């Protein structure tokens, strides 16, 4: 079956611009996660959705970052007034349910470059 | 912040040899997972070991967990060139109720190179 997909695969933007990154989770997965991975580092948690609601957004670095999941499936990560430090690979993952014991299935990521 | 720390940071071995990677973490966990990542993109889940388990096998993979030392090891036997990748451990912290959380905390990874 189809895995987690993310679009675009690469995004180059200029400092100060607005970007949207999209994630299509595995069908039927109620939990969706966003992570950010900088070069040479492991992924860092940003936000977690259970259904349509953001159950935990404690990992979002500041209020320029926002994510939605209006119908409980596709999610969009939105970054306003991008900064060079936002350059990273943004990874989305989904799992059947929360609870911590579930395998999270990751998408291929979106590589964001802010010039 | 990152809880886990993999050791070594980089490992280079000949095809056919075994590769051992270690992971240490700081807080009590519900479970620990190992992931593989090729070319800095998507992560592939390898194996999950729960806090009440000590050892788990999956094909050529063997994972151990020592909660008293807050450490885990991943052994890949009879390595192949296709095993070349970065390997990450990720912990799922135990919350106050004793249940697991959903938030995975990753280490910085071990970069494994298997030379044909």
């Amino acid at each position: 079956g189809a895995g987690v997909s993310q679009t675009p695969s690469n995004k180059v933007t200029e400092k100060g611009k607005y970007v949207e990154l999209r994630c299509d989770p595995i069908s039927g997965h109620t939990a969706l996660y966003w992570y950010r991975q900088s070069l040479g580092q492991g992924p860092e948690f940003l936000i977690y959705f259970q259904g349509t609601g953001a159950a935990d957004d404690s990992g979002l670095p500041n209020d320029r970052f926002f994510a939605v999941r209006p119908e409980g499936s596709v999610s969009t990560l939105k970054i306003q007034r991008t900064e060079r430090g936002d350059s990273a690979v943004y990874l989305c993952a989904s799992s059947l349910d929360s609870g911590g014991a579930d395998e999270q299935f990751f998408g291929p990521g979106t590589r964001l470059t802010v010039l | 912040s990152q809880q886990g720390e993999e050791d070594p940071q980089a490992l280079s071995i000949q095809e056919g040899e075994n590769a051992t990677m270690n992971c240490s973490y700081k807080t009590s966990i519900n479970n620990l997972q190992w992931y593989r990542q090729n070319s800095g993109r998507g992560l592939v889940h390898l194996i999950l070991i729960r806090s009440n388990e000590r050892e788990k096998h999956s094909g050529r993979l063997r994972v151990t967990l020592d909660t008293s030392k807050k450490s885990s090891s991943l052994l890949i036997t009879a390595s192949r060139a296709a095993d070349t990748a970065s390997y990450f451990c990720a912990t799922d912290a135990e919350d106050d109720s004793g249940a697991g959380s959903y938030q995975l905390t990753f280490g910085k990874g071990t970069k494994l190179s298997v030379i044909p």
Side-chain angles (χ1 to χ4, degrees):
Chain A
V4 177
S5 62
Q6 292 185 246
T7 54
S9 56
N10 286 283
K11 176 71 178 178
V12 180
T13 190
E14 293 179 342
K15 181 174 178 290
K17 298 290 188 184
Y18 167 84
V19 297
E20 290 189 351
L21 311 179
R22 176 188 167 107
C23 171
D24 275 273
I26 293 172
S27 178
H29 281 192
T30 58
L32 185 146
Y33 317 79
W34 283 97
Y35 293 85
R36 178 169 73 172
Q37 185 175 22
S38 300
L39 192 63
Q41 304 291 316
E44 292 188 304
F45 170 80
L46 294 177
I47 187 170
Y48 153 68
F49 287 89
Q50 181 57 249
T52 60
D56 183 355
D57 64 358
S58 63
L60 295 178
N62 52 59
D63 61 6
R64 295 186 297 104
F65 288 75
F66 188 71
V68 296
R69 194 187 185 197
E71 297 177 358
S73 178
V74 171
S75 175
T76 304
L77 177 65
K78 307 180 181 190
I79 310 174
Q80 297 178 320
R81 305 182 303 281
T82 51
E83 299 177 356
R84 292 195 179 87
D86 299 335
S87 296
V89 175
Y90 289 81
L91 296 163
C92 176
S94 68
S95 67
L96 271 172
D97 196 7
S98 64
D102 297 315
E103 174 186 347
Q104 294 185 19
F105 293 83
F106 282 80
T110 293
R111 185 180 300 277
L112 175 67
T113 303
V114 181
L115 302 176
Chain B
S1 62
Q2 303 198 288
Q3 156 156 250
E5 188 171 321
E6 286 88 349
D7 166 52
Q9 291 185 355
L11 178 63
S12 184
I13 60 174
Q14 295 288 328
E15 199 166 32
E17 293 181 339
N18 296 341
T20 300
M21 289 159 271
N22 303 296
C23 166
S24 59
Y25 56 91
K26 297 174 185 172
T27 63
S28 296
I29 61 169
N30 187 54
N31 64 61
L32 185 144
Q33 305 183 48
W34 284 90
Y35 284 82
R36 183 184 73 216
Q37 185 177 44
N38 292 85
S39 304
R41 298 306 287 262
L43 289 95
V44 174
H45 183 265
L46 296 176
I47 197 164
L48 179 153
I49 186 166
R50 303 185 191 282
S51 60
N52 61 355
E53 297 177 311
R54 293 295 167 259
E55 187 171 313
K56 203 160 183 180
H57 296 253
S58 176
R60 294 184 295 114
L61 306 180
R62 172 178 170 253
V63 168
T64 62
L65 179 63
D66 187 336
T67 53
S68 67
K69 295 181 180 178
K70 292 186 169 60
S71 68
S72 173
S73 68
L74 170 67
L75 169 68
I76 304 174
T77 60
S79 64
R80 305 167 183 168
D83 295 329
T84 295
S86 291
Y87 291 82
F88 294 89
C89 69
T91 53
D92 169 19
E94 187 178 56
D95 66 17
D96 293 340
S97 71
S101 76
Y102 40 82
Q103 185 184 129
L104 291 180
T105 304
F106 288 81
K108 291 185 179 182
T110 291
K111 193 168 184 178
L112 173 66
S113 298
V114 181
I115 302 165

